[in-house]
Amino acid sequence: MAADKIYFIVGSQDLYGEECLKQVAADAEEMVKFLGEKLKGNARIELLPTVVTSDTCIQDMRKAQCDDECVGVITWMHTFSPAKMWIKGLQELRKPLLHLHTQANEKLPYDDIDMDFMNLNQAAHGDREYGFILARMGVPHETVAGFYKHDKVVEKIGKFADVAKAVAFSHSLQIATFGNNMRDVAVTGGDKVESQIVYGWETRYYAVGELVNIINNVTDKEIEDQYNEYTANYTVATDNIDAVKEQAKYEVGLKKFIKEHNIGAFTDTFQDLHGLRQLPGIAAQDLMGKGIGFGPEGDYKIAAMSAILMKMAESRKGATGFIEDYTYDLTEGQELELASHMLEVPVSFAAGKPEIQVHPLGIGGKEDPARLVFDGITGDAVQVTMVDMGDRFRIICADIELVKQPKPMPKLPVARIMFRHKPDFERGTAAWCEAGGAHHAVVSTALTREDIAAFAKYTGSEFIAIG
Ligand code: MN
């Protein structure tokens, strides 16, 4: 089963008697049923036994922590639940936690309310006691307040589920780096031991020859099938079909390698392509469109972040993928950025049907590579990067707006997106530079700053927002 389960734990105590606890369990079941139905595209929600003692809390939290399918926990205090009962249980949990500050009832029954009702329905009381212990212990969590059936509340829980799934995905992510970093580049580097400690990424170096061996054994039939997939999805705008089939061969080989090693993200570098005739272009672009993370020039952090953010966005509309900051239009007051790469712009950013083109590549000394060329989509987005500050990782998230390019660029032989910085060019780009933001990033029209901030919180990363 997929890792998409969220356990729902309700707090009470045994002071109120059996009748009250029966009602607590029934209300919780009703709530879980409702939320489970509403959020079935995001997560499965399952109820655990009501916490009435420290021991039940420890058991619930241990179950959540040890279940590989569980990505996070939702807690809610139906009645008052003395928070010393929660200390040892919370110490067992290292997964994302949502504190749902809600009630079983939407409205107060003004005509009938009595002390029994008040004792049963006292989240205003119990959730404050619980909130204190979360704050005191420094447990990373979200608090979502409101009646659980309200759309806004459901939506926030859904977003929590997306982030929790991405955190779990991060901790199971395997990254392959073919070759190392582009020589002398600083920002693409990083402490791979520390990123395994903090994010769980298992980053392994592979000589590109290992991949070349697989690629050289790809059959003509496999190449033909991949090429036919290209022609079904993209317009062939070149006579150099051999160059396109060379990329098809790379993609088949990469897919085999990815499957064999359970890889979620990979990097390559144009400085280490021994045994390959071209830099992977369409092959990388197409794989990114299928959810495989990618970072060029050995950028393992961006490869990982692109895979993780694609995972976070998988149940949402919009596009998510790697991009490089390239050049600007500095027309005063209308400044825009043109973002692209040598070849590897994810096909998910295509506004229309991409064209397959073959052009020389100015650097790298290899044969002319085939690539997908297209103009980019439009809409509000975030641009996210991660840098290694030496003693910590920093995640930077800028609000941007993807815009239609003002004029065609008929001579630019690569895919591209264009965007406007927020709050404006001056502050947006200066803040990015001052924060040490990389020239590689993940752009997403599906995610928001809150999603990225939540990921940073659950992974203990430093977070900087620009916008
Ligand atoms: Mn680059």
Side-chain angles (χ1 to χ4, degrees):
M1 290 293 269
D4 64 351
K5 194 196 288 180
I6 291 182
Y7 281 122
F8 194 100
I9 304 176
V10 181
S12 188
Q13 59 177 324
D14 48 19
L15 199 70
Y16 304 113
E18 270 312 301
E19 271 317 296
C20 175
L21 287 175
K22 256 188 214 159
Q23 194 56 47
V24 166
D27 289 342
E29 222 165 282
E30 175 72 28
M31 204 175 279
V32 165
K33 202 173 144 212
F34 177 86
L35 291 173
E37 190 57 37
K38 283 277 182 188
L39 296 169
K40 63 181 172 207
N42 301 75
R44 290 173 288 152
I45 302 180
E46 284 183 25
L47 184 62
L48 288 182
T50 306
V51 167
V52 288
T53 61
S54 180
D55 282 344
T56 49
C57 187
I58 292 168
Q59 281 159 19
D60 281 0
M61 293 298 183
R62 277 187 187 157
K63 177 155 186 180
Q65 185 58 41
C66 293
D67 185 343
D68 286 341
E69 292 176 12
C70 167
V71 296
V73 169
I74 298 174
T75 45
W76 164 54
M77 304 305 119
H78 193 317
T79 69
F80 191 77
S81 183
K84 284 184 186 173
M85 288 182 350
W86 288 79
I87 292 173
K88 290 181 184 171
L90 287 167
Q91 284 170 333
E92 298 288 320
L93 186 72
R94 297 182 304 281
K95 292 181 179 177
L97 176 69
L98 184 145
H99 177 197
L100 180 58
H101 185 42
T102 191
Q103 289 185 162
N105 56 301
E106 182 182 24
K107 299 187 194 314
L108 269 187
Y110 290 97
D111 296 336
D112 303 318
I113 187 164
D114 55 14
M115 278 316 288
D116 285 347
F117 183 92
M118 288 237 287
N119 281 332
L120 177 64
N121 300 287
Q122 52 173 320
H125 183 191
D127 274 334
R128 279 172 169 76
E129 166 76 359
Y130 175 67
F132 163 72
I133 209 65
L134 292 179
R136 165 80 192 254
M137 292 172 68
V139 179
H141 68 284
E142 318 279 307
T143 307
V144 175
F147 186 55
Y148 72 98
K149 287 187 178 172
H150 291 172
D151 288 346
K152 248 177 22 187
V153 170
V154 173
E155 192 191 328
K156 282 181 184 167
I157 299 172
K159 288 185 168 180
F160 165 80
D162 293 344
V163 174
K165 281 190 288 182
V167 171
F169 176 81
S170 176
H171 283 277
S172 67
L173 181 60
Q174 313 272 325
I175 305 167
T177 71
F178 297 113
N180 207 332
N181 283 40
M182 180 178 169
R183 286 165 208 136
D184 300 325
V185 174
V187 79
T188 51
D191 182 339
K192 288 168 181 151
V193 174
E194 190 62 18
S195 54
Q196 182 162 349
I197 293 170
V198 176
Y199 302 107
W201 307 340
E202 293 175 49
T203 309
R204 298 192 182 89
Y205 166 88
Y206 294 91
V208 75
E210 286 197 47
L211 178 61
V212 170
N213 278 343
I214 296 175
I215 285 172
N216 286 344
N217 286 312
V218 170
T219 66
D220 289 346
K221 165 84 168 65
E222 289 170 321
I223 296 171
E224 208 56 39
D225 288 348
Q226 184 63 59
Y227 178 76
N228 290 338
E229 195 186 305
Y230 289 162
T231 57
N233 295 328
Y234 314 128
T235 304
V236 181
T238 177
D239 296 330
N240 191 349
I241 303 304
D242 281 350
V244 183
K245 289 191 173 171
E246 184 72 8
Q247 290 283 336
K249 186 164 79 171
Y250 297 170
E251 182 164 349
V252 174
L254 277 161
K255 278 182 191 158
K256 289 183 178 184
F257 185 92
I258 284 166
K259 196 172 169 203
E260 187 183 325
H261 297 275
N262 193 25
I263 298 298
F266 72 101
T267 72
D268 63 16
T269 168
F270 66 91
Q271 288 174 326
D272 186 358
L273 296 174
H274 192 76
L276 295 179
R277 283 161 50 201
Q278 303 176 15
L279 173 66
I282 302 180
Q285 293 178 283
D286 204 53
L287 282 168
M288 285 188 266
K290 290 169 175 146
I292 299 296
F294 174 77
E297 293 120 36
D299 194 339
Y300 83 103
K301 300 193 302 300
I302 284 299
M305 286 305 286
S306 65
I308 290 165
L309 297 187
M310 279 189 277
K311 178 74 186 173
M312 197 186 288
E314 81 183 350
S315 65
R316 305 191 196 177
K317 290 196 183 74
T320 302
F322 155 76
I323 202 77
E324 173 166 287
D325 301 274
Y326 239 115
T327 190
Y328 295 129
D329 178 343
L330 291 182
T331 305
E332 195 169 12
Q334 299 166 48
E335 290 89 348
L336 293 177
E337 173 165 339
L338 174 61
S340 182
H341 205 253
M342 289 161 70
L343 301 175
E344 312 93 329
V345 179
V347 67
S348 17
F349 288 137
K353 192 173 182 181
E355 281 193 355
I356 300 175
Q357 299 181 13
V358 177
H359 303 277
L361 197 61
I363 41 181
K366 289 282 171 175
E367 289 179 14
D368 301 353
R371 80 288 304 270
L372 300 170
V373 179
F374 52 82
D375 295 345
I377 54 166
T378 60
D380 284 332
V382 286
Q383 183 185 17
V384 182
T385 195
M386 175 188 282
V387 291
D388 184 344
M389 301 303 286
D391 58 355
R392 66 202 184 278
F393 291 103
R394 171 179 286 177
I395 295 175
I396 303 161
C397 175
D399 299 330
I400 57 170
E401 183 194 358
L402 304 191
V403 297
K404 193 167 152 37
Q405 62 188 54
K407 294 169 80 173
M409 301 180 220
K411 292 188 176 166
L412 185 68
V414 286
R416 77 296 300 234
I417 60 174
M418 287 198 82
F419 57 84
R420 185 173 286 127
H421 296 268
K422 289 181 182 177
D424 53 37
F425 178 82
E426 204 181 323
R427 286 175 284 182
T429 57
W432 186 275
C433 290
E434 293 219 347
H439 46 80
H440 286 170
V442 183
V443 162
S444 176
T445 60
L447 302 172
T448 64
R449 181 197 293 187
E450 287 69 33
D451 299 312
I452 310 303
F455 178 82
K457 177 162 60 184
Y458 293 124
T459 54
S461 314
E462 185 178 39
F463 180 70
I464 292 179
I466 302 169

